[in-house]
Amino acid sequence: MKIDSFSNKITMEEKIKEESRGLRGSIIESVKDELSGGISDKDQIIIKFHGLYQQDDRDIREYRAKKKLDRLFSFMIRLRIPGGFIKSKQWLSIHQISEINSTGVIKVTSRQTIQLHGLIKSNIKPTIQFFNISKLDSIATCGDINRNVICSTYSRTHYKKILTYASKISKMFLPKTRAYYEIWLDEKKILEKENKEPIYKKSYLPRKFKIAIAIPPNNDVDVFANDIGLIAIIDSDKKKLKGFNISVGGGLSTTHGNSKTYSRLGTIIGFYDSEEKILRIVYEILTIQRDYGNRSDRKFARLKYTIDNYGIEWFKKELENRIGFSLKKERPFFFTERCDYFGWIQDDMKLWNYTIFIENGLVFDRVNLKLKSALLKIAEYEICNFLFTCNQNITLTDIHAKNKKTIQSILDEYGIVNYMNHVSSIRKNSMACVALNTCPLALAEGQRYFPHLISKIEFILNKYKLGKEEIIIRMTGCPNGCSRPYLAEIGFVGVSYGRYNLYLGGDPEGTRLNKLYKKNMDESSILKELDQFFNCFQKEKLDGEKFGNFSIRKQWVI
Ligand code: SRM
Ligand code: SF4
């Protein structure tokens, strides 16, 4: 065990959390202040725990600075939707609020929830109040705390079982403070001592904390990218859930120019069966991170660094001490893919489900694709539920056979079926992060640019008759890795405007990180390079060989 590697000096964020009086800070005063569209620096940190980010329109930042104007501040709100499941009525609320208080675009995120952008300060409270009526909240979707718990959606047989775990874990790790209810929902303040945080204590976690549940053989959640991954072990005959393998210490973010930062896949430490014990294990993994995580340098504060600093054997021993029993030996499992199953699928209960490809998770109406209108119309019938996938797509779920026709006709009328029939394999496997114009950390474009690059890549693939290849391709505007580019077969990570680092060699199952192929590439060099790769792939690929595996066999990255 390395004892002295984390310094005792705590970060500014730690002090702010500690002094926040249970995540209250001076948010009420900051929001009331009419002189600015923003809030104080300290409150910007605290408000994240309420699922809100202060942002500004980066497209006009420079222009406004020249005119000596303040930045054009607005807020992003991120909902807490464990397992990505909501009812039609809740979609209607999201739609309505998006029209009234946000930019109008609904963003399905890579962690199975919804973000709305462009809320002005005075609209935050009415928005949260409106969501609350529909039993939607944004508690703990950001900040140094357990985030939205994600789970596999593809398995119609097992999804609901897994969803109950996601919901229970999400509930177990909610902060106990009533700050959210007091500030946004006008709940009368009760004694602060009743707001003690038994799990998080005064300073919450050192950093964000992420949990995912996967159902093999489809790793549609990228389970190994999470601080905790639960991998469901299903009895192949009886189709019964036998328990979970437990993986710890996954995390993707890196920092350009800081070679001490790295992406790490979760390590499997064992198996357990009973629900009660699984929840106990998950609970104590989080408390170890609370107690041992680095609070002096946020760059090294995720669980992956805690584990690598103290060692995985130490971690397992500490966990077993805390839970009071030994973990069982990990059970065999395998992943074969990571995709969503698009179109119609009937489940064991004879209910129908339709998965729509939502490019980069952006729901809005285009000229020939009235996605937002279609989803509104479908939701108005209240004949299905909505399910968000970790690939940023939407499944309309639990549809009775008698209602299938109604949904089909709306999908036809609004251009969705036609679109789904024509969208290419590479596009369906693509994902980009938000990046510009709202993300303050973006160094390059993400979701606004990626569709255009994909069109150019489609052209090359078609030239080599590779149009039907399923290649997982992802882009982010900075090395934080929000669309998990380090797990893509082809990954682009923004370096500066119009320039990206190119990564190759992830596997289709999400069990191997890719590697840096070349730095700082502009569009023409990216396309030139990909042209050569695809030419070679067409000529030399083995039967069924996937592009990521081919890149490794060819030693394009070592
Ligand atoms: Fe992320 C920060 C968007 C999934 C790693 N992420 C941000 C912020 C909030 C920027 C900020 O701190 O001000 C971005 C908001 C942009 C905007 O304008 O909306 C942002 N992250 C997103 C989303 C919306 C991307 C998307 O297009 O879908 C995803 C929302 C997930 C959710 O619903 O909770 C999103 N972020 C991820 C993932 C993927 C995942 O979790 O599976 C990662 C990599 C996995 C990981 O955590 O290691 C990720 N985001 C980060 C990081 C780096 C964390 C770290 O360990 O250093 C940051 C920066 C930070 O926390 O300091 C960040
Ligand atoms: Fe912003 Fe970077 Fe995340 Fe993209 S990867 S949303 S640019 S923080």
Side-chain angles (χ1 to χ4, degrees):
M1 193 207 319
K2 292 181 206 165
I3 304 157
D4 58 350
S5 29
F6 295 159
S7 138
N8 287 329
K9 231 175 88 193
I10 59 165
T11 60
M12 170 196 71
E13 284 84 352
E14 289 300 314
K15 285 194 193 120
I16 293 172
K17 284 185 280 180
E18 228 173 81
E19 291 163 7
S20 73
R21 300 176 302 110
L23 304 181
R24 290 174 180 84
S26 54
I27 294 176
I28 291 185
E29 294 74 20
S30 265
V31 171
K32 270 193 193 145
D33 175 12
E34 287 176 2
L35 291 177
S36 163
I39 58 174
S40 77
D41 290 351
K42 284 186 182 174
D43 288 334
Q44 282 178 47
I45 288 167
I46 299 304
I47 209 167
K48 291 183 185 179
F49 290 76
H50 300 235
L52 292 150
Y53 281 87
Q54 178 175 308
Q55 306 185 316
D56 71 291
D57 184 346
R58 292 188 54 189
D59 287 344
I60 54 171
R61 198 188 266 183
E62 214 174 302
Y63 167 82
R64 288 180 69 91
K66 270 188 201 146
K67 297 256 167 200
K68 305 228 174 323
L69 291 167
D70 209 355
R71 289 179 179 182
L72 189 59
F73 294 119
S74 67
F75 290 80
M76 176 266 276
I77 185 164
R78 183 184 285 166
L79 293 176
R80 184 175 65 92
I81 308 181
F85 178 88
I86 60 165
K87 296 194 176 312
S88 281
K89 266 199 173 152
Q90 293 173 308
W91 178 266
L92 290 177
S93 308
I94 293 168
H95 179 101
Q96 213 171 326
I97 281 290
S98 79
E99 295 283 302
I100 306 167
N101 285 351
S102 88
T103 58
V105 177
I106 301 172
K107 164 83 181 179
V108 181
T109 75
S110 59
R111 288 191 75 79
Q112 234 170 14
T113 187
I114 292 294
Q115 284 185 183
L116 298 180
H117 293 85
L119 271 73
I120 57 166
K121 198 167 72 170
S122 55
N123 280 339
I124 298 175
K125 195 165 171 174
T127 298
I128 291 182
Q129 296 194 334
F130 191 80
F131 279 141
N132 186 55
I133 296 168
S134 312
K135 296 194 168 51
L136 289 167
D137 68 69
S138 60
I139 306 172
T141 50
C142 318
D144 299 340
I145 198 158
N146 178 54
R147 301 291 189 88
N148 198 43
V149 181
I150 57 175
C151 72
S152 269
T153 55
Y154 81 93
S155 168
R156 308 309 327 143
T157 315
H158 301 296
Y159 172 70
K160 294 232 161 108
K161 262 177 258 164
I162 303 298
L163 176 64
T164 60
Y165 277 86
S167 305
K168 282 182 185 175
I169 295 170
S170 175
K171 199 167 166 206
M172 173 168 81
F173 286 143
L174 278 176
K176 298 289 175 279
T177 169
R178 300 300 296 174
Y180 181 89
Y181 298 92
E182 288 167 16
I183 296 171
W184 311 113
L185 301 171
D186 296 329
E187 183 181 271
K188 233 176 121 216
K189 191 169 180 208
I190 46 173
L191 284 176
E192 258 171 51
K193 69 172 187 248
E194 288 172 34
N195 284 295
K196 285 261 156 62
E197 296 283 8
I199 305 176
Y200 294 115
K201 313 279 183 202
K202 260 189 169 173
S203 314
Y204 296 82
L205 295 179
R207 206 65 165 88
K208 57 177 69 169
F209 196 86
K210 297 182 174 179
I211 302 175
I213 311 176
I215 310 172
N218 190 335
N219 185 14
D220 58 352
V221 292
D222 273 328
V223 71
F224 295 114
N226 289 265
D227 297 271
I228 301 180
L230 297 178
I231 300 157
I233 303 299
I234 310 282
D235 183 327
S236 54
D237 298 338
K238 296 180 202 135
K239 295 197 170 168
K240 247 188 89 188
L241 175 65
K242 293 174 87 175
F244 298 90
N245 282 340
I246 301 132
S247 107
V248 292
L252 297 183
S253 169
T254 65
T255 303
H256 288 317
N258 186 344
S259 57
K260 288 188 181 152
T261 62
Y262 51 85
S263 304
R264 184 188 192 280
L265 293 183
T267 311
I268 297 180
I269 52 170
F271 167 87
Y272 225 90
D273 35 26
S274 85
E275 179 185 308
E276 186 210 331
K277 295 265 168 61
I278 285 291
L279 294 181
R280 176 114 195 101
I281 292 164
V282 167
Y283 181 95
E284 294 298 0
I285 293 172
L286 181 136
T287 67
I288 299 178
Q289 165 64 356
R290 176 197 65 200
D291 298 342
Y292 287 91
N294 185 340
R295 292 185 187 263
S296 60
D297 188 344
R298 292 180 64 79
K299 285 242 169 292
F300 301 99
R302 291 291 293 274
L303 178 65
K304 60 182 175 179
Y305 297 113
T306 315
I307 289 179
D308 287 345
N309 186 52
Y310 288 93
I312 192 78
E313 284 314 316
W314 170 88
F315 184 85
K316 210 176 146 185
K317 221 166 130 201
E318 178 67 22
L319 176 63
E320 290 181 337
N321 276 342
R322 289 185 184 217
I323 56 181
F325 55 90
S326 299
L327 296 177
K328 299 181 182 182
K329 198 167 169 285
E330 92 171 76
R331 298 285 165 92
F333 71 97
F334 59 91
F335 286 124
T336 54
E337 57 191 353
R338 267 188 284 175
C339 53
D340 293 335
Y341 304 144
F342 294 109
W344 285 110
I345 286 185
Q346 194 176 24
D347 61 30
D348 295 358
M349 309 290 289
K350 302 268 176 271
L351 294 172
W352 286 94
N353 305 273
Y354 188 93
T355 300
I356 308 172
F357 169 64
I358 313 281
E359 191 160 24
N360 302 318
L362 296 171
V363 178
F364 63 100
D365 282 349
R366 301 174 186 119
V367 180
N368 295 322
L369 181 67
K370 307 277 182 207
L371 206 45
K372 197 171 173 196
S373 300
L375 292 174
L376 171 66
K377 188 129 195 218
I378 289 168
E380 279 169 349
Y381 277 96
E382 292 183 39
I383 49 177
C384 68
N385 295 312
F386 281 61
L387 198 49
F388 308 119
T389 81
C390 293
N391 289 314
Q392 300 172 327
N393 298 313
I394 297 180
T395 301
L396 306 170
T397 186
D398 307 321
I399 302 161
H400 288 277
K402 62 174 189 225
N403 295 324
K404 194 178 165 210
K405 237 176 159 181
T406 309
I407 292 188
Q408 179 70 50
S409 68
I410 299 169
L411 295 171
D412 280 330
E413 186 189 338
Y414 287 85
I416 288 152
V417 173
N418 184 42
Y419 171 69
M420 293 291 289
N421 287 340
H422 290 96
V423 67
S424 69
S425 296
I426 187 118
R427 201 177 291 273
K428 278 186 184 152
N429 284 290
S430 71
M431 192 155 66
C433 73
V434 180
L436 296 169
N437 62 328
T438 52
C439 179
L441 308 176
L443 305 169
E445 294 280 359
Q447 65 190 19
R448 294 201 298 196
Y449 163 63
F450 205 34
H452 305 289
L453 184 68
I454 293 283
S455 298
K456 293 176 183 171
I457 296 174
E458 279 169 348
F459 180 79
I460 305 173
L461 282 166
N462 289 335
K463 186 168 87 177
Y464 295 113
K465 302 196 169 39
L466 292 169
K468 293 211 165 20
E469 280 299 316
E470 305 271 346
I471 302 171
I472 297 176
I473 184 164
R474 296 173 178 175
M475 168 177 279
T476 53
C478 88
N480 282 322
C482 296
S483 62
R484 301 185 289 273
Y486 307 109
L487 280 165
E489 294 175 89
I490 303 175
F492 301 100
V493 173
V495 183
S496 63
Y497 200 79
R499 292 194 170 257
Y500 297 85
N501 288 350
L502 171 57
Y503 289 75
L504 296 175
D507 61 9
E509 304 87 21
T511 59
R512 182 176 67 220
L513 290 168
N514 53 23
K515 290 186 179 145
L516 179 63
Y517 170 72
K518 216 176 239 183
K519 283 186 177 175
N520 206 21
M521 299 174 77
D522 63 9
E523 184 182 283
S524 67
S525 48
I526 287 170
L527 294 173
K528 213 166 125 198
E529 210 76 59
L530 289 183
D531 192 304
Q532 286 168 14
F533 291 148
F534 293 147
N535 186 5
C536 181
F537 185 49
Q538 183 213 27
K539 287 185 191 138
E540 297 179 34
K541 87 186 191 69
L542 305 173
D543 215 19
E545 191 174 25
K546 295 293 188 177
F547 183 76
N549 295 337
F550 183 76
S551 319
I552 296 291
R553 182 162 70 81
K554 292 301 292 178
Q555 300 192 332
W556 290 333
V557 282
I558 299 169

